[in-house]
Amino acid sequence: MAAHEELDAEADPEAMRRHRTLFRAANRRKNPPLRRTDITVTDEAAVKRAVKAASLGNAMEWFDFGIYSYLAVTIGHVFFPSGNETAQLISSFATFAVSFLVRPIGGMVFGPMGDKIGRKKVLALTMILMAIGTLAIGLIPSYATIGFWAPVLLIFFRLVQGFSTGGEYGGASTFIAEYAPDKRRGYFGSFLEIGTLAGYTGAAGLVLILNTALGSDAMDSWGWRIPFLVAGPLGLVGLYLRLKLDETPAFQKMEDATFHSASEGASTVETTAKGDLAKIFRQYWPTLILCIALVGAYNVTDYMLLSYMPTYLSDELGYDDSHGLLILIGTMIVLMLIMNQVGRLSDRFGRKPLLMTGMVGFLVLSVPAFLLIKQGSLLGVSAGMLLLGLSLVCLLGTMSATLPALFPTSVRYGSLSVGYNLSASLFGGTAPLVITSLISITGTDMVPAYYSMAAALVGIIAVACMKETAQQPLSGSPPSVESKEEAAELVEARTRVPLAPSAR
């Protein structure tokens, strides 16, 4: 009877007046009160330490991938038989792509592990594996020295890198999202992507310096090894910073046995950490598909611009390697300077408007941008790259706050790692290989523009289907605020449960 009257509440104001107590109780169940202990008050210093450690790890990941991309031509010469240069380049990009084949496996291993034993421990482990894989590539003898075993060892250590990366982005973005206050999650999340661009910029800058100082012969002989060897010490620094961190507040509350006795206002908070992979596919598959679509659109455009573009400029347009890298570095510096502002805008106006702006930008601007780039002039190439970059920054500055909010705390690390890496494997890491192959088959150098437009169209549909999550608590977690005063205001707001105006 009560359920029936609750359903008819808006249609029958007279019933609401007759049963004021009943409907007040119904409203209270829908919007239960909070206690102060239910709310997480963030420590800004701890949030900044978490952001720094997670972002540095992300920077190292993309430093490693950036090195490989920017040295793709050299790596083709060193590790594959001489002959057709296009075949060498495709072989090099195929080796780049092969690491993405094991990323979903890494995500399926490290993601649920992070939901079981904690985010911090798994992020430390992925850092160690990434550093080992990158350092080892710098030590592999060339094809001229050991023949067949050179590409075999290269592929093996690329697989080690890919496996470790499977737990990196999902964990890093989860780590920052669970530390950040609800109203500033976009701002703090944007630092993760500053790490991405810093890694790419560092890789491009180092390769540029080495190319200029050593020349092509020395680079092919031994200079290419230096960037890979530098990554080892960087990994140790990142590992040190991550081991000094505490576990995220959301994970701690989920693990805390005393949290089971929290008030009714926190009853929606998950209190188990099963990390069940089957549960992810069985219960969260619609959200998983949404995540794959968002990440696919984002990764195609990301890898096309930040990984493939220097090769496109040199191989397809005959642009000087150093000039291409300089323009890319300049573009990435501009994006880093405005990244935090994009994060702030997503906190204020919502994730969906910013993501939609970026997707529509790629759909509309890709062809004009590549027509400018094809002119070959410094101004044309710079303008075209900047057009693509401004569209990309709308995605970069927003995505790291958007994706963790799709899943509840108990399966967040696992679900995001699986969805992100499945998509990255299918669409992200294969982008340079697919684009290079399609250009070879079709004979048109506009393939990157058409590929980006197709990805953007998928992204537009995905953004239209997602729910807005800005300024809201993470699913399965209590509210997270910046101060005790804000917590008190939130408790007061949730304590007052007004009756509908028509029932007064």
Side-chain angles (χ1 to χ4, degrees):
M1 179 66 178
H4 180 267
E5 288 195 4
E6 187 175 345
L7 288 173
D8 292 339
E10 292 187 7
D12 190 358
E14 183 63 30
M16 293 182 69
R17 282 192 289 269
R18 289 199 309 268
H19 304 286
R20 298 170 66 88
T21 304
L22 174 64
F23 286 106
R24 192 182 298 276
N27 282 342
R28 199 173 186 83
R29 284 199 302 272
K30 289 180 181 179
N31 192 25
L34 282 168
R35 291 191 317 189
R36 168 60 190 82
T37 52
D38 298 334
I39 300 173
T40 299
V41 178
T42 59
D43 177 355
E44 186 169 356
V47 174
K48 289 180 178 178
R49 286 195 302 271
V51 169
K52 184 188 300 182
S55 300
L56 181 62
N58 208 44
M60 179 190 166
E61 175 190 347
W62 298 114
F63 178 81
D64 296 342
F65 279 96
I67 287 169
Y68 195 97
S69 301
Y70 304 142
L71 291 172
V73 176
T74 301
I75 288 171
H77 294 161
V78 172
F79 287 101
F80 297 98
S82 60
N84 188 313
E85 288 200 3
T86 300
Q88 283 187 328
L89 182 61
I90 290 176
S91 297
S92 179
F93 276 136
T95 308
F96 176 83
V98 77
S99 68
F100 286 80
L101 297 178
V102 295
R103 280 184 66 162
I105 300 173
M108 292 177 190
V109 171
F110 291 122
M113 189 187 300
D115 288 325
K116 287 180 180 178
I117 67 174
R119 287 62 164 125
K120 170 185 170 180
K121 295 175 183 176
V122 176
L123 282 173
L125 179 57
T126 59
M127 179 71 78
I128 293 170
L129 288 175
M130 175 62 79
I132 291 172
T134 306
L135 186 64
I137 289 175
L139 299 173
I140 300 173
S142 67
Y143 184 87
T145 304
I146 61 173
F148 167 77
W149 289 106
V152 169
L153 288 172
L154 176 64
I155 290 170
F156 173 76
F157 287 113
R158 287 292 294 167
L159 292 174
V160 171
Q161 284 185 317
F163 183 72
S164 67
T165 305
E168 174 62 36
Y169 183 88
S173 57
T174 294
F175 205 80
I176 291 177
E178 291 183 349
Y179 256 106
D182 296 334
K183 292 184 178 180
R184 299 183 71 196
R185 191 171 297 117
Y187 169 72
F188 285 115
S190 66
F191 281 96
L192 188 65
E193 300 301 348
I194 289 180
T196 298
L197 293 180
Y200 271 124
T201 303
L206 183 54
V207 170
L208 176 63
I209 291 169
L210 291 173
N211 276 331
T212 304
L214 300 179
S216 59
D217 290 340
M219 281 296 290
D220 285 356
S221 176
W222 56 271
W224 67 270
R225 299 181 184 276
I226 294 174
F228 290 98
L229 299 179
V230 165
L234 286 179
L236 293 177
V237 173
L239 178 64
Y240 171 75
L241 287 174
R242 286 187 172 181
L243 289 175
K244 286 184 66 178
L245 293 172
D246 294 325
E247 191 51 82
T248 69
F251 186 84
Q252 286 181 359
K253 285 201 170 185
M254 187 179 68
E255 287 284 273
D256 189 355
T258 61
F259 198 62
H260 287 277
S261 61
S263 72
E264 186 183 10
S267 61
T268 58
V269 177
E270 300 284 349
T271 53
T272 59
K274 295 179 181 178
D276 185 351
L277 195 60
K279 177 183 177 182
I280 291 171
F281 284 102
R282 186 174 60 250
Q283 296 185 18
Y284 299 100
W285 64 266
T287 312
L288 208 58
I289 291 173
L290 177 62
C291 177
I292 289 170
L294 285 169
V295 173
Y298 153 62
N299 266 339
V300 164
T301 53
D302 185 34
Y303 283 99
M304 183 276 296
L305 180 60
L306 302 184
S307 293
Y308 174 70
M309 190 55 72
T311 303
Y312 175 82
L313 291 173
S314 60
D315 277 30
E316 304 303 329
L317 304 183
Y319 218 68
D320 181 82
D321 289 345
S322 297
H323 290 169
L325 281 176
L326 274 173
I327 294 173
L328 181 61
I329 290 170
T331 303
M332 291 191 291
I333 290 173
V334 171
L335 300 190
M336 281 192 283
L337 291 174
I338 62 176
M339 185 77 70
N340 288 150
Q341 299 307 315
V342 173
R344 284 194 174 100
L345 287 173
S346 79
D347 284 330
R348 182 176 179 182
F349 298 108
R351 318 293 185 222
K352 294 183 67 170
L354 270 295
L355 291 174
M356 190 63 79
T357 299
M359 298 297 182
V360 171
F362 274 109
L363 184 65
V364 174
L365 299 177
S366 288
V367 168
F370 273 91
L371 289 175
L372 284 169
I373 290 169
K374 283 177 63 178
Q375 290 182 4
S377 66
L378 177 62
L379 182 61
V381 173
S382 300
M385 297 267 283
L386 191 59
L387 280 179
L388 296 171
L390 292 175
S391 298
L392 180 62
V393 79
C394 293
L395 309 182
L396 286 173
T398 311
M399 199 67 76
S400 53
T402 301
L403 297 176
L406 296 176
F407 303 100
T409 304
S410 63
V411 294
R412 180 171 298 122
Y413 196 155
S415 300
L416 182 51
S417 294
V418 170
Y420 186 92
N421 290 294
L422 276 173
S423 190
S425 176
L426 292 171
F427 308 111
T430 59
L433 174 63
V434 170
I435 292 172
T436 303
S437 301
L438 287 176
I439 289 175
S440 179
I441 293 169
T442 63
T444 175
D445 51 16
M446 289 296 289
V447 165
Y450 303 144
Y451 200 54
S452 298
M453 291 170 68
L457 190 59
V458 173
I460 288 170
I461 297 171
V463 173
C465 293
M466 64 173 276
K467 294 179 180 178
E468 183 58 71
T469 58
Q471 300 197 21
Q472 299 175 20
L474 292 169
S475 175
S477 293
S480 179
V481 299
E482 293 186 87
S483 66
K484 294 180 180 179
E485 292 75 18
E486 190 178 348
E489 291 174 4
L490 185 58
V491 169
E492 176 65 21
R494 288 285 295 271
T495 300
R496 296 190 301 268
V497 186
L499 201 58
S502 57
R504 289 173 182 164

